[in-house]
Amino acid sequence: MALPFADHHRYRRFEARELIERAEREGLVLVTTEKDLTRLAGQDDVAALAAAVRALPVTLKVTEDDAFRNWVLT
């Protein structure tokens, strides 16, 4: 099951509580990116969510170096 949220979504206290309760009730694991976990950790009102969620490492692997370099530099 996936509940996507927009990038840079600022969770409200009630959303955090609902996510935690649903995960506990349904035996789910809450997952987010390492970047978003860092953002969550800085929000006191959703500290419980930051403590309950697990980070999914994301790595960018470029296989076409020249094409990527050209894209970035344009």
Side-chain angles (χ1 to χ4, degrees):
M1 162 177 286
L3 293 174
F5 290 88
D7 195 25
H8 301 285
H9 178 73
R10 186 161 179 93
Y11 293 91
R12 297 184 188 138
R13 190 179 310 225
F14 80 90
E15 289 175 314
R17 186 177 56 247
E18 287 177 1
L19 287 169
I20 293 167
E21 289 173 359
R22 184 172 184 179
E24 290 173 351
R25 185 175 58 250
E26 297 180 23
L28 304 172
V29 176
L30 298 171
V31 179
T32 192
T33 63
E34 292 171 319
K35 175 189 71 103
D36 287 336
L37 180 56
T38 301
R39 285 184 41 257
L40 283 174
Q43 299 178 37
D44 291 339
D45 54 338
V46 293
L49 180 58
V53 74
R54 299 294 170 252
L56 176 68
V58 177
T59 303
L60 174 65
K61 182 176 181 180
V62 177
T63 58
E64 298 177 22
D65 295 341
D66 290 336
F68 182 75
R69 185 178 300 106
N70 290 336
W71 176 75
V72 169
L73 295 176
T74 57

